[in-house]
Amino acid sequence: MKLLIIGGNGTIGKKVSDHLSRNHEIINAGRTSGDVNVDIADSKSIKAMFESVGMVDAVLCIAGEAKWAPFDALTEDDYDIGLKSKLMGQVNLVRIGQDYVNAGGSFTLTTGILADDPVVMTTSAAMVNGGIHSFVKAAALELKNGLRINVVSSGLVEDAVEKYESYFPGHNPIPMKKVINGYVKSVEGKGTGEIIRIYDNC
Ligand SMILES: NC(=O)c1ccc[n+]([C@@H]2O[C@H](COP(=O)([O-])OP(=O)(O)OC[C@H]3O[C@@H](n4cnc5c(N)ncnc54)[C@H](OP(=O)(O)O)[C@@H]3O)[C@@H](O)[C@H]2O)c1
């Protein structure tokens, strides 16, 4: 299959992209990295990316930002970062991208454990993750041409432990192999409307 991976050069995206490249043709996208450039916070940029790439069999988004800060410090503009990038960026990828994915193809979005088990400073990040979970369940009911949509929600991944461990007290890091398999399940499986949770709460 021909797969378009937004964020395919990131911490998670690179591992997923390398794994899927064994059996599929990969196009990686990022703001400054990858084969094609896109800023998902800008719907015109998303449209331009699909026009340049053409039809694909699956779109994976492993990108999207939200501002982390204490609740009493987050401004409306701070919330807009997460709304424009991680939430509407991924919604717009599906809204615009539905015309560029071949029949029977799929979308795979990315959220994270904050949707279900937030830590401090994540009122914005947790909120947009939860919004995407609801979006995926609803969009699965209406996508045409057999298009599927799922979201991978993992805990803190092993490769990001050094950077983020202090923000996630007591959380068990998720091995990269398990994270990769969440994306494989979404792309190569047949499920739709699924929130693929990869947590280790024990
Ligand atoms: N790290 C974790 O433990 C973890 C766990 C669960 C969920 N997540 C979520 O998974 C996603 C990826 O995390 P990560 O740790 O792999 O992040 P990362 O290392 O910062 O990589 C992010 C990737 O996305 C691209 N990107 C960022 N903003 C973009 C935008 N507006 N438009 C297009 N591309 C953009 C970046 O490329 P450019 O710089 O070239 O744009 C980069 O390739 C994030 O949404 C994160 O919240 C992460």
Side-chain angles (χ1 to χ4, degrees):
M1 288 190 284
K2 187 174 176 183
L3 313 184
L4 172 61
I5 306 181
I6 296 99
N9 280 303
T11 307
I12 298 173
K14 179 90 177 71
K15 290 281 166 77
V16 172
S17 180
D18 285 352
H19 180 90
L20 288 170
S21 70
R22 296 178 195 172
N23 294 314
H24 305 283
E25 180 192 344
I26 306 292
I27 302 159
N28 287 318
R31 282 167 306 188
T32 54
S33 57
D35 309 305
V36 60
N37 289 141
V38 65
D39 180 357
I40 61 167
D42 174 359
S43 54
K44 288 196 188 83
S45 171
I46 293 175
K47 177 80 177 167
M49 171 187 67
F50 280 117
E51 278 297 306
S52 104
V53 169
M55 298 300 288
V56 296
D57 298 298
V59 176
L60 293 79
C61 182
I62 316 177
E65 296 174 327
K67 172 98 174 178
W68 283 49
F71 178 55
D72 60 6
L74 277 169
T75 65
E76 191 169 351
D77 285 348
D78 291 334
Y79 278 98
D80 272 346
I81 296 169
L83 294 173
K84 282 209 161 106
S85 176
K86 198 164 186 180
L87 180 62
M88 283 312 296
Q90 298 201 84
V91 169
N92 281 329
L93 273 174
V94 180
R95 191 178 62 79
I96 297 166
Q98 62 187 326
D99 294 332
Y100 296 88
V101 178
N102 291 318
S106 67
F107 292 95
T108 304
L109 308 185
T110 297
T111 55
I113 193 169
L114 298 174
D116 298 304
D117 190 5
V119 296
V120 293
M121 299 204 295
T122 60
T123 53
S124 175
M127 175 185 73
V128 298
N129 282 352
I132 294 161
H133 288 184
S134 299
F135 168 75
V136 163
K137 288 197 282 184
L141 304 176
E142 294 195 45
L143 280 170
K144 298 189 169 65
N145 298 325
L147 296 184
R148 300 181 298 106
I149 181 168
N150 300 298
V151 54
V152 176
S153 181
S154 87
L156 172 64
V157 305
E158 258 178 5
D159 284 9
V161 162
E162 239 174 74
K163 213 167 151 189
Y164 297 114
E165 195 175 28
S166 61
Y167 298 103
F168 289 89
H171 281 235
N172 296 312
I174 309 299
M176 298 313 290
K177 178 68 186 158
K178 287 193 175 182
V179 180
I180 290 166
N181 272 340
Y183 292 90
V184 172
K185 184 177 188 214
S186 177
V187 172
E188 296 182 356
K190 289 291 170 205
T192 191
E194 292 180 2
I195 299 162
I196 300 170
R197 290 181 167 89
I198 308 168
Y199 304 157
D200 179 358
N201 297 324
C202 308

